[in-house]
Amino acid sequence: MSVEEENSGARVGDAAPGGAAPGGILGRGHRTVTLGICSLIVLSAFEALAVTTVMPTISAALNGASLYALAFAGPLATGVVGMVLAGNWCDRAGPRGSLYGSVVLFVAGLAVVGTAPAMAVFLSGRLIEGFGSGALTVALYVVVARAYPPQLHPQIFAAFAASWVVPSLVGPLVAGLIAQTLGWRWVFLGVIGLVAAALAMVIPAMARLHGPGGHPTMPWDLGRLGWSLLAACAVLALNLLADAKGPLLWTGPAAAAAIAVVALRPLLPRRTFVSGAGLPSVILSRGLAAAAFFGADVYIPYLLTVRYGFPPLAAGLSVTASGVFWATGSWLQSRLSTHLSHARSVQLGALALFLAIAAACATAALALPAAVAIAGWALGGFGMGLMYPRTGVATLEYSTVENQGFNSSALSIADSIGASMSLAATAIVFAALAGLGGPWPFAGCFALTALPALAALVLAPRIRRPHGAKAPT
């Protein structure tokens, strides 16, 4: 059966309880699992933000300047393989084993990172950590599909977004404080016990998941695993070649990007790259949004520091503002879930993101006040809050029990690949324009990342149901 045929078949909601539980996601039947999975996301978010804060200290301590960039790109690459494996596992046997296995891998990666005697060992731990984190994302999406009725999906995805707010506000500060007092290793080792406690809250709910547990007779899709490995290697090469010189500055990344696109085709629903109506456009919109936001996000604090002389703490205001408004947008879309269609929510979010990047580009090119970029990036976070939860909800609505894992992994893969390819592309543009000096490297990067935001805005109306599909009740 093709992906399109599966998308127009039985919906996840068909097997779900008929109505939302009293009290919503914190009601009696959902409180423990909600707190548990949100705690896992909080800890994962804290770790991701903490690495950025303490990485200079780690690089100096382990003499690993040459592997600095790889410590960030590596987990993104291995995460793609984890997503595909978890998706296949969930479709075969439900989300239990995939969830437990991903947490074990994540914790194992933390342990290796926290005890690493050399940079090479630290990097291996980061690769394991990324594999587990990618698999965890997919497993949590399938848990949402099985544990919550469709009426609560907008709320739980809004809670996922809100789970990033506290780490965004205090994560870098706490990580820096731990590194200065206890040592950088405890930034990672201290999270292990908290992850175990969060998992303990989720385990009881695993036994109460409604619907079939999966299809054990379904074979392991070794072909998709092979393609995911190729995509991971291509993305990793793309990031490494961003620092290439001479002819390789353009030809190397172009070849790596082409290989990544070819490898991605079997990992995504058919017609994703041509924005086919329905699920393919949902997946593509997610990847475009990730490319636009995360490609520009790393250059906002950089712009404030280099061009406006902001100290690091003040430059971080843009990150804090976008995180707070991301949660605000997520909350708003959940309140308007019955009045605002998925397509319109993505369209409004993409418009806000495009205007935010345009404000950053104008700030860099015209030397506008820094407040323009900071306020604009808050608007960009708001736009992501409108878009991200809706793409998650739409993906589950288009999914059947048989393909929840595939569709959830496709959404996560689009997210990860979109961000990593955009980061590599902006690095190339920044390096190419650095010789011109002045505002042009920043303006060039922002102009580049505005393109996927504009594409998401134009393609949003294609997020509609295929002919013959039933809307979930």
Side-chain angles (χ1 to χ4, degrees):
M1 181 184 292
S2 69
V3 173
E4 285 88 346
E5 291 170 335
E6 289 175 345
N7 291 339
S8 61
R11 294 289 181 264
V12 171
D14 296 340
I25 60 175
L26 292 177
R28 181 178 178 183
H30 299 99
R31 184 183 301 116
T32 301
V33 67
T34 296
L35 293 176
I37 60 179
C38 286
S39 296
L40 287 172
I41 293 175
V42 166
L43 295 172
S44 179
F46 171 78
E47 188 277 335
L49 294 166
V51 169
T52 304
T53 303
V54 301
M55 196 60 209
T57 302
I58 296 170
S59 178
L62 300 181
N63 192 28
S66 62
L67 297 176
Y68 189 93
L70 199 57
F72 292 97
L76 285 175
T78 56
V80 173
V81 184
M83 293 167 191
V84 172
L85 179 61
N88 199 179
W89 195 348
C90 287
D91 287 339
R92 292 185 78 254
R96 283 191 198 90
S98 180
L99 178 65
Y100 300 156
S102 63
V103 172
V104 168
L105 282 171
F106 183 64
V107 168
L110 289 173
V112 173
V113 165
T115 58
M119 192 64 178
V121 180
F122 178 88
L123 178 60
S124 67
R126 288 284 289 157
L127 296 178
I128 297 171
E129 197 181 325
F131 191 101
S133 180
L136 177 62
T137 301
V138 174
L140 289 179
Y141 270 73
V142 179
V143 169
V144 167
R146 305 289 179 89
Y148 298 86
Q151 294 89 336
L152 294 183
H153 288 174
Q155 291 184 37
I156 188 60
F157 283 117
F160 281 9
S163 298
W164 276 81
V165 174
V166 173
S168 298
L169 293 174
V170 304
L173 177 63
V174 172
L177 185 62
I178 293 174
Q180 290 179 11
T181 56
L182 300 177
W184 65 264
R185 297 182 185 277
W186 286 102
V187 172
F188 304 98
L189 296 178
V191 174
I192 294 177
L194 299 176
V195 171
L199 182 62
M201 288 190 285
V202 178
I203 288 176
M206 293 297 99
R208 301 196 302 270
L209 294 182
H210 63 267
H215 293 269
T217 58
M218 178 186 294
W220 286 102
D221 197 338
L222 299 180
R224 291 188 69 241
L225 287 173
W227 285 114
S228 70
L229 282 170
L230 180 59
C233 292
V235 169
L236 195 55
L238 181 62
N239 282 269
L240 290 173
L241 289 169
D243 295 326
K245 306 295 182 183
L248 281 178
L249 176 61
W250 300 107
T251 59
I259 293 172
V261 170
V262 171
L264 282 173
R265 291 191 63 185
L267 308 180
L268 305 176
R270 292 179 183 176
R271 297 181 57 79
T272 294
F273 289 118
V274 295
S275 191
L279 180 63
S281 290
V282 174
I283 302 297
L284 181 61
S285 296
R286 179 66 164 250
L288 291 171
F293 182 85
F294 294 108
D297 186 52
V298 298
Y299 290 98
I300 299 290
Y302 195 12
L303 172 69
L304 297 176
T305 300
V306 173
R307 303 292 299 171
Y308 291 88
F310 277 38
L313 183 60
L317 285 174
S318 62
V319 178
T320 300
S322 66
V324 170
F325 277 85
W326 187 321
T328 303
S330 297
W331 172 83
L332 181 62
Q333 66 78 32
S334 73
R335 302 294 294 179
L336 299 176
S337 59
T338 58
H339 305 287
L340 192 64
S341 69
H342 296 331
R344 182 55 58 88
S345 187
V346 171
Q347 196 169 40
L348 292 174
L351 176 60
L353 181 56
F354 176 77
L355 293 175
I357 297 176
C361 187
T363 301
L366 304 177
L368 300 179
V372 175
I374 295 174
W377 209 234
L379 177 64
F382 181 80
M384 291 295 280
L386 290 178
M387 284 190 286
Y388 254 49
R390 284 307 184 91
T391 55
V393 173
T395 298
L396 294 186
E397 287 182 356
Y398 280 114
S399 301
T400 67
V401 171
E402 290 80 8
N403 65 10
Q404 287 169 352
F406 175 88
N407 291 345
S408 297
S409 69
L411 187 70
S412 300
I413 289 169
D415 201 1
S416 179
I417 296 295
S420 59
M421 293 184 72
S422 180
L423 287 169
T426 51
I428 294 170
V429 169
F430 194 92
L433 298 179
L436 299 177
W440 301 115
F442 293 102
C445 288
F446 292 135
L448 178 64
T449 55
L451 296 179
L454 182 61
L457 173 63
V458 172
L459 297 175
R462 295 188 62 76
I463 301 177
R464 61 179 185 269
R465 298 188 175 283
H467 179 69
K470 298 187 301 179
T473 58

